[in-house]
Amino acid sequence: MIPFNKPYLTGKEAHYMYEAVFTGKLSGNGMFTQRCQAYFENRYGFKKCLLTTSCTDALEMAAILCNIQPGDEVIIPSYTFVSTALAFVRQGAKIVFADSQAEHPNIDADKIEALITPRTKAIVPVHYAGMACDMDKIMALADKYNLLVVEDAAQAVDSFYDPLPPKGGLESARESLEIIATSENNTKPSISNSCSPLGVRGRSLGSIGHLAAFSFHETKNIISGEGGMLAINDERFIHRAEIIWEKGTNRAEFFRGEVNKYGWVDIGSSFLPSEVIAAFLWAQIEHLDEIQNKRKEHWNRYYEALKPLADKGYFKLPLIPEYATNNAHMFYLVLPSLEERTRLINTLKQNDILAVFHYLSLHSSPYYTKKHDGRVLANCDMFADCLVRLPLFYELRNEDLEKIIETIKSVYNK
Ligand SMILES: *Cc1c(COP(=O)(O)O)cnc(C)c1O
């Protein structure tokens, strides 16, 4: 069976975990945690990063930091993972679900303004498949109505938003995004040399909203089993974020020697991961570029091989918005109907290939359907019925990739 996903190990994970264990510092916020956080801050321009035990946790921290109160409204795409909404529901928010674009699973930024009311507190764009939402439009709405923006960047590590008009056609614009602009002063000396500095034009996803949440779940590009990170771009939130992260205490300040005792000062939870998890993540970070390059190779092969069938109208390929880069988190197809999708998934399964679909529209989920205001979200429902994800992981062998492509072709080329 060709699996849908296989977690990739770079080889140093156990070594760094051993190091964490034998230095005797097992709890959170130690050397590996700080290394990972500094790396992301430097490479992607986040003001402050805090590792968390999941992206769900990072979203929960964001919901607390946004000071969401019962009855506050939060605008969230319906086509997303449960956690995006759940984190805000736990704070008592009313979720106002937004539709996707017709041609892209991302939230339709042109339809957000109609959803804003005096109770709206925040917008939570999800960068689906690591491809940017229309952040200029979303940030302009946030400015106009004084709202907070929390980017769900769970899938968006190492991806960018670049609204500059492309010069010399889309392809060459995209090529130029790959060019590494080396900038010595972007890298603090504490960062391993194997990690390159900020390498592309544009702003990194997760650096644009007030807050952003990343995932290192084993299905994402870089992983720690379960794991996540809160990126804080608005400095007003940094101090409180550290307190919420450490069970509502000012322990982080204490360890920096800024106060001489620490205690309970706010709400919070134990959101920080153990050093063992951070050590694992560090081994992944060291190979980030290599992982990204390999995933992009696979992605490009799928795209090029399946384009002739897409041109004939059998399905649609992923659309990369002109302001977005592709971090090759996901390769998906959009079929014309639920029946067609089921047929394709079944044919793949008969050939020992596991392809999967997601998400079930959150606005009609068993938990939320009675609370939803009844608006029809047609694009979201269409993606829920018609989108299928193909296997994409570092160790996907070329012969397996070709087999997947041939199997798909066999469905249409009779
Ligand atoms: C994976 C994912 C999450 C949840 O991440 P965890 O680290 O498993 O909590 C949230 N939102 C989106 C869009 C995701 O893809």
Side-chain angles (χ1 to χ4, degrees):
M1 192 72 160
I2 301 175
F4 169 67
N5 180 54
K6 179 170 183 261
Y8 172 60
L9 299 179
T10 67
K12 278 275 196 90
E13 286 83 358
H15 174 80
Y16 288 142
M17 289 165 84
Y18 183 94
E19 199 178 316
V21 168
F22 281 88
T23 51
K25 167 71 178 156
L26 289 174
S27 60
N29 201 10
M31 191 260 291
F32 280 109
T33 298
Q34 283 166 18
R35 250 196 221 171
C36 292
Q37 291 175 174
Y39 174 85
F40 286 113
E41 288 161 10
N42 279 294
R43 177 159 167 150
Y44 299 116
F46 310 131
K47 292 244 167 61
K48 175 74 191 162
C49 289
L50 295 173
L51 292 192
T52 56
T53 52
S54 65
C55 177
T56 306
D57 265 6
L59 289 163
E60 284 179 15
M61 286 185 69
I64 296 171
L65 286 165
C66 290
N67 199 23
I68 300 296
Q69 301 296 315
D72 287 346
E73 294 176 6
V74 179
I75 298 171
I76 291 178
S78 183
Y79 191 74
T80 182
F81 188 63
V82 172
S83 301
T84 320
L86 177 62
F88 292 86
V89 164
R90 291 182 87 239
Q91 294 302 115
K94 172 173 184 264
I95 308 300
V96 177
F97 283 112
D99 205 359
S100 298
Q101 302 166 35
E103 298 297 328
H104 198 287
N106 277 346
I107 192 167
D108 187 342
D110 292 325
K111 292 191 191 144
I112 293 175
E113 190 161 17
L115 304 177
I116 295 173
T117 76
R119 304 229 56 174
T120 307
K121 265 275 184 70
I123 307 172
V124 188
V126 177
H127 303 300
Y128 184 79
M131 290 181 200
C133 295
D134 193 336
M135 292 308 291
D136 278 343
K137 276 188 194 154
I138 292 170
M139 295 312 290
L141 286 174
D143 272 353
K144 183 170 168 190
Y145 293 97
N146 195 24
L147 309 176
L148 293 167
V149 174
V150 178
E151 297 176 68
D152 182 336
Q155 305 174 5
V157 72
D158 202 47
S159 202
F160 296 81
Y161 175 72
D162 186 0
L164 294 176
K167 298 185 195 78
L170 268 185
E171 277 323 299
S172 74
R174 218 145 275 143
E175 302 268 331
S176 69
L177 288 175
E178 314 287 342
I179 295 167
I180 303 292
T182 15
S183 160
E184 292 299 324
N185 36 7
N186 258 339
T187 317
K188 283 184 193 161
S190 62
I191 301 303
S192 153
N193 291 333
S194 63
C195 302
S196 51
L198 186 58
V200 284
R201 248 169 49 201
R203 280 181 294 165
S204 62
L205 299 189
S207 74
I208 303 164
H210 302 85
L211 299 161
F214 287 88
S215 176
F216 307 119
H217 185 265
E218 72 169 32
T219 52
K220 303 303 199 291
N221 289 28
I222 55 166
I223 62 174
S224 63
E226 302 278 354
M229 181 173 77
L230 179 71
I232 303 153
N233 303 309
D234 183 331
E235 280 164 5
R236 287 176 302 167
F237 294 113
I238 294 176
H239 180 69
R240 191 168 183 228
E242 282 187 331
I243 289 167
I244 292 166
W245 191 54
E246 285 256 35
K247 305 105 182 158
T249 73
N250 55 347
R251 197 159 172 269
E253 279 179 294
F254 174 72
F255 277 110
R256 284 195 299 263
E258 293 164 15
V259 292
N260 57 16
K261 56 185 187 310
Y262 77 89
W264 186 11
V265 295
D266 203 338
I267 59 166
S269 188
S270 188
F271 285 118
L272 72 176
S274 125
E275 275 289 284
V276 180
I277 300 292
F280 190 110
L281 182 62
W282 183 249
Q284 295 268 314
I285 285 175
E286 284 191 330
H287 291 261
L288 176 60
D289 290 330
E290 178 196 323
I291 291 169
Q292 293 298 85
N293 289 339
K294 179 62 85 180
R295 294 184 73 102
K296 283 177 197 171
E297 256 175 49
H298 293 333
W299 199 100
N300 289 338
R301 177 64 193 139
Y302 270 134
Y303 194 93
E304 153 205 288
L306 296 173
K307 192 161 186 309
L309 292 175
D311 288 343
K312 287 186 186 151
Y314 293 125
F315 45 69
K316 289 181 186 165
L317 296 172
L319 180 87
I320 307 176
E322 78 272 9
Y323 46 76
T325 65
N326 175 23
N327 71 345
H329 171 61
M330 195 192 296
F331 196 89
Y332 65 86
L333 303 175
V334 183
L335 279 292
S337 67
L338 176 60
E339 294 69 33
E340 291 271 330
R341 181 179 75 177
T342 307
R343 183 164 77 109
L344 180 62
I345 290 176
N346 288 342
T347 307
L348 289 166
K349 196 177 271 170
Q350 282 153 17
N351 288 276
D352 291 328
I353 299 159
L354 194 59
V356 302
F357 63 83
H358 74 174
Y359 298 111
L360 302 172
S361 304
L362 293 184
H363 68 281
S364 43
S365 60
Y367 184 74
Y368 217 84
T369 185
K370 287 206 194 72
K371 300 184 186 72
H372 179 63
D373 52 30
R375 277 172 303 116
V376 174
L377 305 176
N379 297 331
C380 169
D381 289 340
M382 181 275 290
F383 286 114
D385 282 348
C386 301
L387 185 145
V388 58
R389 305 173 63 183
L390 301 180
L392 178 60
F393 49 89
Y394 187 99
E395 289 172 279
L396 183 60
R397 298 180 308 174
N398 285 342
E399 65 247 50
D400 288 343
L401 188 53
E402 295 309 319
K403 180 184 167 181
I404 299 164
I405 290 164
E406 286 312 313
T407 308
I408 296 171
K409 283 184 180 167
S410 75
V411 176
Y412 302 101
N413 296 338
K414 296 236 174 57

